[in-house]
């Protein structure tokens, strides 16, 4: 059994530590992926709190190459470039799965929570977790698209918005900077909303047609002046900021919530009943959704804005993300 270098959480609540671990051969319906890059997501912190067992290796924005396949794996072969994201496997038997709603599986398996993730030289994953990476995308570019990318892309394409509609992206950070790119490339009149005038230049470079500084103006009033948003895609973790956009929705407009805050979204029922507005949550997407995201990004030139760090510096990268010091995305690379 080969050994691999990993960055692991040894026990609940502990910090990341470097370790060398044995890695098994893939079993039936599994593949082993040699990790080339792994994005650092704020949700990785859940590995220290909610993992199925310890020690656990975090990381659910994985890009690499298959180096071994288990029995029963016919559609994938060693040498293929693949990504693995938040969607890391399902039970196949819960009501959601039986209805074909796989992302809402009651026992969804996520790398770094259900089994070891991508802060490692290699990882063993269920075959249903795999998404093919197009040749046009590097591993570093593909990794963040496996979570931040598919979450924003899938939310937009499944929203009520149609080409030409006004779509606002709340937040221009790790998720939001991808949301702005996807919205613009999908043909929406795109509004970026963020705190401060200093983010306007970057937002417009990403493709935003309009910019709203939420510290300088009433967001809802500004959206209504632009015609009312069909969709507000919220990528922030601030419930008050989310609530401040609801009045800017047009008829049958929808606030789509991606970022998670523990506080409630404060909204008066009349604000929803009036104009038939709604608030909806959206998870990421299946491995097929991730594959669609990668192909769309390759086709349209969308790329995450990343800072790369060696895998050995995973603890430093994690602390930077948790402290809010990462402007967009950090990606860990194996040498």
């Amino acid at each position: 059994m080969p050994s691999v270098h990993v960055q692991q959480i040894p026990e609940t609540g502990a910090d990341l530590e470097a370790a060398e671990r044995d890695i098994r051969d893939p079993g039936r319906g599994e593949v082993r992926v040699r990790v080339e890059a792994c994005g650092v997501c704020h949700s990785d912190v859940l590995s220290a709190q909610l993992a199925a067992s310890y020690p656990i290796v975090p990381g659910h924005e994985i890009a690499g190459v298959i180096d071994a396949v288990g029995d029963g794996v016919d559609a994938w072969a060693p040498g293929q470039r693949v990504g693995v994201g938040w969607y890391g496997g399902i039970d196949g038997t819960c009501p959601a799965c039986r209805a074909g709603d796989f992302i809402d599986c009651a026992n969804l398996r996520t790398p770094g929570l259900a089994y070891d993730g991508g802060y490692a030289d290699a990882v063993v994953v269920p075959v249903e977790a795999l998404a093919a990476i197009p040749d046009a995308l590097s591993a570093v570019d593909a990794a963040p698209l496996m979570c931040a990318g598919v979450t924003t892309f899938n939310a937009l394409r499944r929203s009520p918005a149609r080409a030409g509609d006004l779509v606002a992206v709340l937040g221009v950070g790790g998720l939001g900077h991808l949301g702005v790119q996807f919205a613009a490339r999908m043909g929406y009149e795109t509004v970026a909303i963020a705190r401060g005038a200093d983010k306007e230049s970057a937002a417009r470079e990403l493709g935003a047609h309009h910019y709203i500084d939420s510290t300088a103006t009433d967001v809802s009033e500004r959206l209504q002046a632009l015609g009312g948003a069909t969709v507000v895609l919220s990528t922030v973790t601030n419930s008050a900021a989310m609530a401040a956009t609801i009045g800017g929705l047009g008829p049958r407009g929808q606030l789509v919530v991606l970022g998670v805050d523990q506080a409630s979204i404060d909204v008066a029922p009349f604000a929803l009943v009036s104009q038939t507005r709604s608030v909806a949550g959206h998870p990421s997407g299946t491995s097929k959704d991730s594959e669609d995201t990668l192909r769309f990004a390759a086709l349209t030139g969308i790329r995450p804005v990343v800072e790369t760090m060696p895998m050995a510096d995973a603890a430093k990268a994690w602390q930077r993300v948790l402290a809010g010091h990462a402007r967009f995305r950090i990606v860990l690379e194996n040498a």
Side-chain angles (χ1 to χ4, degrees):
M1 181 180 293
S3 63
V4 293
H5 295 97
V6 303
Q7 301 290 322
Q8 67 178 18
I9 303 290
E11 58 188 11
T12 305
D15 294 328
L16 278 170
E17 65 173 19
E20 188 168 332
R21 301 246 301 264
D22 290 337
I23 186 168
R24 62 183 176 82
D25 292 331
R28 184 170 187 81
E30 295 180 326
V31 303
R32 190 171 62 213
V33 177
R34 176 170 51 81
V35 178
E36 294 181 325
C38 186
V40 180
C41 179
H42 195 277
S43 297
D44 287 343
V45 70
L46 297 176
S47 297
Q49 304 166 349
L50 301 174
S53 62
Y54 293 90
I56 192 78
V57 179
H60 61 266
E61 293 185 348
I62 303 166
V65 177
I66 296 174
D67 76 353
V69 301
D71 292 340
V73 178
D74 300 319
W76 302 89
Q80 284 187 270
R81 302 180 66 228
V82 294
V84 183
W86 182 264
Y87 179 89
I90 56 173
D91 63 22
T93 60
C94 72
C97 286
R98 293 174 64 198
D101 184 13
F102 301 122
I103 191 58
D104 289 320
C105 174
N107 297 293
L108 186 70
R109 303 181 67 204
T110 298
L113 293 175
Y115 54 84
D116 285 339
Y119 290 15
D121 293 339
V123 61
V124 175
V125 301
V127 69
E128 65 264 27
L130 299 177
I133 298 176
D135 291 341
L137 292 177
S138 69
V140 167
D141 286 335
L145 296 176
M146 295 304 303
C147 180
V150 65
T151 299
T152 50
F153 172 76
N154 211 31
L156 286 168
R157 71 171 178 171
R158 298 186 186 280
S159 78
R162 296 296 179 263
D165 286 348
L166 189 74
V167 168
V169 178
L170 178 61
V172 190
L175 270 73
H177 89 285
L178 287 167
V180 169
Q181 291 184 74
F182 281 121
R185 302 302 200 286
M186 293 167 84
Y188 305 133
E189 185 178 353
T190 304
V191 185
I193 307 170
R195 294 177 57 84
D198 59 309
K199 299 181 179 67
E200 179 172 2
S201 177
R204 290 189 179 275
E205 288 178 8
L206 292 166
H209 302 100
H210 310 280
Y211 180 79
I212 298 176
D213 175 2
S214 62
T215 67
T217 189
D218 184 290
V219 172
S220 287
E221 288 183 1
R222 181 68 180 126
L223 287 174
Q224 286 297 341
L226 291 170
T230 302
V231 165
V232 172
L233 188 73
S234 175
T235 69
V236 300
T237 55
N238 185 316
S239 294
M242 299 179 204
T245 69
I246 292 174
L249 294 170
R252 301 192 179 276
Q254 187 175 85
L255 169 64
V256 180
V257 179
L258 306 182
V260 178
D261 188 2
Q262 297 302 312
S264 299
I265 299 175
D266 187 10
V267 53
F270 181 76
L272 299 179
V273 174
S274 171
Q275 302 284 286
T276 323
R277 299 172 175 128
S278 62
V279 178
H282 184 83
S284 62
T286 67
S287 54
K288 179 60 170 65
D289 294 322
S290 294
E291 197 165 287
D292 292 346
T293 304
L294 295 169
R295 292 179 64 238
F296 187 86
L299 179 68
T300 60
I302 291 172
R303 299 292 186 272
V305 179
V306 304
E307 174 187 353
T308 59
M309 297 178 69
M311 187 67 70
D313 289 342
K316 295 178 183 177
W318 201 356
Q319 290 305 314
R320 287 194 59 200
V321 170
L322 294 180
H325 295 157
R327 181 68 184 92
F328 293 117
R329 307 298 289 186
I330 294 179
V331 176
L332 301 171
E333 285 189 285
N334 277 317

